[in-house]
Amino acid sequence: MGKKSTDNDPSILPPMQLTPLARSFLKVAESIDSAINNRDYDSTINHTTCTIDQQNTQQLLMVLIDTRAYSYAMQGQMDLAIADAHKMMSLPSMLPNGYLRKADILKMNGEIQEAIEVYSDGLRKTPPEEKNKIFIQQLKNGLKEARIQNKEPVDFISKLPVEIVNNNIMPHLEQSTKKVCSQVSRIWHKKILNHQNRWNNLFVDDNNQETLRVFSTIPSTKYNIKQLTIDTKSNTIPITCFRYMRNGYLNELASFKMKATNIDIKENPLNMTTVPVAFWQTRQTLTTLDLDFGSNTNLIKLADLIMTCTNLTKSSFTTTQPLAEIIGNFSTVERHEALIDLQMKAKLITGKDIEPMLKQCQQIRRLVMDTCEETVFDVITRQADNLELLGYNLNAANDPVEELQTERNNKSKKGLQKLYTNNGGNNISAKKILPLIYKNKATLVTLYAMIASITETELWDLYSTYPDFTLDKIEALTFWCHPGIQQFMLRAIRNTTTLKIMRIAYLADSEELVPTLKNLPILSTIALSQINSIKSTPSLCRLFEHYRLFSVPNNFQQPSLAFVDLYKSDAITDDLLSTLTTIKTLNEISLCDLKNVSTEGFNSMISKLSDRLTCLTVKEMDLITDNIILTLGGLKKLGYLQLRDLKKVTDLGIYVLLGKVDSSTLTKLVINNCPKITASCIATARKKIKNVEYI
């Protein structure tokens, strides 16, 4: 509930005063009570009858309802306020008061045109009697003011009640919006800057002078900051922040993110205890921490942070130095029971570095590490029994490691559920990663593994070491089909009934892959990458012909292939695309750098899928010109289109496309690195299509 204002707000007409009516009614009430006590029932009947018939009684009811409507409006509860106005309008004696109150509420809420209609309706329906004269005049005045106001910009921050500004507007403003609002006028600037609770999420950067000003006044003004992000090249702001924390000015901090890459200890000497004490002061409230140390290894060690911040649940640490330089001594750290999400990026991370940390942080459920040695897998296998999500050397910006969404179900089986390794770069030794995969074979649902090739002898050793290796619960599998590993992984999924998504790169033997996939339940997604042997084309065509036989549109009980992703593969030809179009459930396609696909083959595919395709992504395809973009306008159900790295597509192609598509169907257009498409063309696209991304 908002605090009650001491003065009537000028933006809304206050109700009548109750005291004079109450005094008159109190005298009548005393007479009735006296008659009842004296058993003078004739007098009681006369008094009550006169009171019921008196206008004062009905006026008291009107004032009570009107007062409540006014109070609801002042609190921002507009629906309840309007409901009370309608109650007044339903009673003939209160009709003009009801119209007046409703119009006034609408005007205060910024609905000026609606208020004009209510004022006008009230004037038409209010009888021109003497008792209504004052209300008719108020309706006329309100109508006149509303018409003037409808033609002029309204300073709503100044006009609205303080309670509504503070409780219903300020909490929903983004920081960037606050910055703009603070520059509108002195009144807005004062309200934005001085409202303490509206800065509980503060983002400080070099380009926002307003937030820098707020930051500088933290010691003298209690802003109740709960989320603080420092992203600046300044050498002094991070140091100042640590001093604020040390001195107790940020004791409600729950989330803290800072780039401390430019702190120069020589120029700005920090007391050795400043940073540890700073975190000690916030230890009760701090649950989320993201620190980028840069090359600085002397601010604080990770062991000291973990030991101090006992309520941390999510942490991220970045350094340009080896992790060993900032890890610290975990031998004196007690078990940390709160930390469940840990992310680290360093110049080098080894198993030796992380083992003492994992020993003391046994509750970690999500672990993401970049620039690791393979030795980390041994440690994770031994020490991380509660781990659910693991990311290893994720060098691509779109590597998919999702956040923890829900708390763990105590009844669910403990074990790793999702494992993501690097996409490109060095392959991982099978001997290092397979023990972890095998340990969690009963719980893994997503596996994204770039495992190095093995010899035939090594393959038989794996069969001997892991004779019962199966992935019975796997739902999404991505792996590089290097020699030996392809056979081992395909054997692990041969009896699965849960697999839905299959992504394959560098296929070694398509004749082995296709029979395995044909024996599995129908997949919903198939992605083929870097399959460059043209000899694979016939077997892949047979695979998609198999899927054609099981494609039944609108059969929700039967799984069906809906999405195919084809990436930089010479094995993809016009014939294969033609086979794809026969799969009646296929509605999403992504194509990238397919050198053996012709213009005719592409156009034929688009024509055959014209009434089915809902999502299309085209990347690095030299055959895509304005003429082909024109054909995309014939896709009747296309809702998402991404064009990326297309050198020959110009504004003309986009303009023609915009002229053909239905904006109620195509709701998202993404244009990424298409050099001949201009910002002016994008501006036109944004006028027609709901969501346009231009990168």
Side-chain angles (χ1 to χ4, degrees), residues 387-562:
L387 201 60
E388 296 174 19
L389 285 85
L390 174 62
Y392 169 88
N393 290 350
L394 304 178
N395 51 332
N398 60 345
D399 281 331
V401 179
E402 60 269 34
E403 299 289 331
L404 289 174
Q405 297 296 326
T406 58
E407 293 186 4
R408 169 180 280 161
N409 184 347
N410 292 329
K411 296 182 180 179
S412 63
K413 188 172 182 179
K414 191 161 51 174
L416 188 63
Q417 297 176 16
K418 299 183 180 183
L419 168 58
Y420 302 98
T421 71
N422 48 306
N423 179 4
N426 295 327
N427 295 302
I428 304 167
S429 166
K431 290 183 178 180
K432 291 296 183 182
I433 193 172
L434 282 178
L436 178 64
I437 296 175
Y438 179 76
K439 178 182 178 180
N440 297 281
K441 63 187 178 68
T443 56
L444 272 170
V445 295
T446 300
L447 177 59
Y448 189 105
M450 186 176 173
I451 306 174
S453 59
I454 55 177
T455 65
E456 187 171 351
T457 301
E458 290 172 326
L459 175 60
W460 285 104
D461 287 343
L462 291 181
Y463 287 150
S464 175
T465 305
Y466 308 111
D468 59 342
F469 177 54
T470 57
L471 296 170
D472 295 334
K473 291 191 175 181
I474 198 73
E475 296 178 7
L477 177 62
T478 303
F479 71 99
W480 279 245
C481 292
H482 294 310
I485 286 299
Q486 175 176 315
Q487 294 94 309
F488 187 75
M489 295 302 294
L490 290 180
R491 180 175 174 176
I493 64 170
R494 66 187 184 276
N495 295 320
T496 183
T497 60
T498 55
L499 189 63
K500 301 173 184 176
I501 300 170
M502 186 82 163
R503 295 186 175 93
I504 298 168
Y506 296 98
L507 183 61
D509 184 355
S510 60
E511 293 298 330
E512 181 186 30
L513 170 72
V514 171
T516 301
L517 293 188
K518 288 173 70 174
N519 289 328
L520 291 176
I522 298 298
L523 302 174
S524 63
T525 297
I526 294 178
L528 305 175
S529 174
Q530 302 284 2
I531 301 175
N532 294 321
S533 174
I534 201 70
K535 295 180 181 179
S536 298
T537 303
S539 56
L540 292 176
C541 284
R542 289 197 301 273
L543 173 65
F544 291 125
E545 173 64 22
H546 169 77
Y547 272 82
R548 178 189 70 81
L549 299 175
F550 290 91
S551 61
V552 181
N554 302 320
N555 186 349
F556 300 107
Q557 295 181 345
Q558 172 68 38
S560 58
L561 183 63

Side-chain angles (χ1 to χ4, degrees), residues 562-565 577 586-592 594 602-603 605-607 609 612-619 621 624 628-629 631-635 637-644 646 657 666 668-671:
F563 176 46
V564 171
D565 184 354
L577 290 186
L586 185 67
N587 54 43
E588 298 182 39
I589 292 182
S590 177
L591 307 176
C592 178
L594 305 177
F602 184 90
N603 283 337
M605 180 195 72
I606 294 299
S607 176
L609 294 174
R612 280 184 278 149
L613 206 57
T614 60
C615 297
L616 176 63
T617 297
V618 185
K619 300 180 284 187
M621 298 280 285
I624 304 297
I628 288 188
I629 295 297
T631 67
L632 301 184
L635 294 171
K637 295 183 179 180
L638 189 65
Y640 173 92
L641 175 62
Q642 180 179 172
L643 307 174
R644 180 174 175 179
L646 303 180
L657 176 69
L666 182 61
K668 185 166 184 178
L669 173 64
V670 179
I671 297 179

